[in-house]
Structure formats: structure tokens, C-alpha cells
Amino acid sequence: MRRCLIALLLTLCPTLLPAQSLPDTPSARAFAELDIQTRMLDVPLTGDADIDFVRHMIPQHQRAIEMAELVLEHGHNPEVRAMAEALIETRRPQLDAMLVWLARFE
């Protein structure tokens, strides 16, 4: 469903695409989709610095984890794969903690 929505958006709004032409590879398409999703986020400000910080960090952590997972799926360089694994190991608990905290204070 998400991929269908993104494909429709790209058809209707080609300006969402990055300025440079993309290689036609699964990883390039996946990273372009993540870029579009990130730009479509609309996280309103509440005026509470703590809540605003957590609400804005959650999608950043989610996207970082998704991009790291793409590297593990499509990447070949052992150093980059190790960075992706480390990122997932650190960001996932942080993301979980933010979600729990936000549920308590929103």
C-alpha cells in the first residue's frame, strides 16, 4: 500500500523526486522513497521543548533504522554494513524509549 501511494505521488508530483537522475536499482528506489516520506512528514510543534524534541526525533530514528536495513539488504561493503548494524543496535532502543516516553506525556 505504501509503495502504491508513493508511486501515485511521484506520478502526480514529479517535483518530489531528487534533482539528480537516479540509477534504476532497488536500493536507489528504496532510498528515494524514504526521502519522499521524510519530506512529507508534518510534525506540528506544541511549544513544549521536550515533546517537540521527541516527536521530531522519532521519525528521524525510524528513517535511520530503515536506511540501515536497506544497507543490510542491498549493501556489500563490510565496513558500511557494520555501521548499519551498529546504528540499528543503538537507535532501536532509543526509538523504543522515546515512544514509551511520548505515550506517557502526550
Side-chain angles (χ1 to χ4, degrees), residues 17-34:
L17 285 171
Q20 79 271 13
S21 63
L22 297 174
D24 189 24
T25 65
S27 63
R29 286 190 296 276
F31 277 104
E33 286 177 13
L34 280 175

Side-chain angles (χ1 to χ4, degrees), residues 66-79:
E66 290 173 8
M67 290 191 319
E69 289 169 343
L70 285 172
V71 167
L72 296 178
E73 182 179 345
H74 299 288
H76 304 289
N77 185 293
E79 290 178 85

